[in-house]
Amino acid sequence: MTGTRVLGGEVERGDEILTPDALEFVAGLHRAFAATRDELLARRARRGPLGFAEETRHVREGDWRVAGAPGPLRDRRVEITGPTERKMTVNALNSGAKVWLADLEDANTPHWHNVVAGQVNLRDAARGTVEFRSPEGRHYTLADGDRPTIVVRPRGWHLPERHIEIDGRPAVGALVDFGLHFFHNAELGRPYYYLPKMESHLEARLWNDVFTAAQAALGVPHGTIRATVLIETIPAAFQMEEILYELRDHASGLNAGRWDYLFSIIKYFRDQGPDHVLPDRNSVTMTAPFMRAYTELLVRTCHKRGAFAMGGMAAFIPNRRDPEVTAQALAKVRDDKSREAADGFDGSWVAHPDLVPVCREIFDARLGDRSDQLDVLREDVDVTAAQLLDFASAGGRATRAGVESAVDVGVRYLLSWLGGNGAAAIHDLMEDAATAEISRSQLWQWVHNGVVLADGEPVTAELVRAVLRDVRGRLDGEHLDLAVELFEQVALADDFVDFLTLPAYERID
């Protein structure tokens, strides 16, 4: 392991994951691909006009399809998402969903313990041996019968893993997550992944090169790996076909990552004037014309190329102590999933086991005896760049309630994240990092574009700080001071911070 150092502390059963061979495998990927990753991240800073690129027209007009789906990924009508904490792993595998998105990214705080223990839990889950006993003595075990196919989401290209040093620099977090999981589980024949946060087909090409090299290094047949790409950035919305093309031997589908998509829009156009300012988060619905353009284009693109189109997150959490809240949550989920099924999606996401039956019922009714809707080609859809960029179609206004909600939810999420829990239940919603990103980026955009609230009050740094003081007074917790400090930094700093998890990562452990 020349040049590789593990700087993190001991984690229970970590020696099973951080073996010399596994670390050397990760180091090989890092040495081969980290420089390209750095170049691609630098390209992101060059924001220019968005549109369908002329130089890749031949890809969009070409006659090609992605590889056919392997058996375990042919039916994806309901997918449950969540972190790889051990109890939640058992619950996800017992949920009745077709797929479990095992999240090493936005639903996971990258404490060293979480990074390594997550790999331990994934290894046990793949072998059907995972179980959990709570401090109170409750025993969680896997139920008999079919279990969801495990699809792992590694960190995005932008995040480092500072607890592993390779040749004097932090390892690339994405390559650590993918490399450790692939090394220990590829032999089982189901190395499936969700790829987040990409902004171009060149970033997809890099992943494809990583997959090709990893399979060759371990003697795994080319094309065994399958990847579903989250289209959750505005630049990627204009390159859906190109992204699938670059990954065509390994592609499984695309997903409409709605919350990060909104964050990306705000971030990309943060200083471009009032035509690009979005209203309160809760008033931007999936029925807004620019969001409809995004999701319908995704379905058409996927089915044109033989790939699955996966719907977005239902983040509502049923409250077993409050039937009224539960009824409202189920009604919203039912409307959301019914729209997706009617649009041609092949399945969709939920964040809680109690929502699996609702999503399954809706897609069962739509699919009948079929496993998917790949035959629904949506040739009626013809989306233009102007439609994708018509943010004014959202309607609505920025309001005082929106400012207060953004601060409240953002601080609450950071408080949870700093404590090690990246999937936080806040006001009957299951929130991940995208929540805090939308909250703080909206405030930054409103302040820097001179937005005036519906009641006539301008959004200023002083207003945000006043609300922040009020929120701080209502909350408590070990990490509250740091959560407030970080939120103020990423919401009000003169220079926009690309991802709040970058400065936050420097303050944990």
Side-chain angles (χ1 to χ4, degrees), residues 60 66 162 265 362:
R60 298 192 298 277
V66 304
R162 71 169 192 238
I265 289 170
I362 289 166

Side-chain angles (χ1 to χ4, degrees), residues 216-263:
L218 296 188
V220 174
H222 182 80
T224 301
I225 293 173
R226 293 304 169 91
T228 305
V229 176
L230 292 113
I231 301 298
E232 54 185 358
T233 70
I234 185 66
F238 291 91
Q239 300 187 43
M240 294 186 197
E241 291 199 67
E242 292 89 333
I243 287 169
L244 283 176
Y245 180 78
E246 295 292 348
L247 284 159
R248 59 194 180 279
D249 291 347
H250 300 107
S252 179
L254 303 177
N255 171 274
R258 60 180 69 172
W259 298 125
D260 271 297
Y261 188 69
L262 288 176
F263 162 54

Side-chain angles (χ1 to χ4, degrees), residues 27 43 112 166 170 273 310 340 385 403:
R43 288 174 61 100
W112 180 236
I166 300 172
M310 302 308 304
E340 289 177 332
V403 172

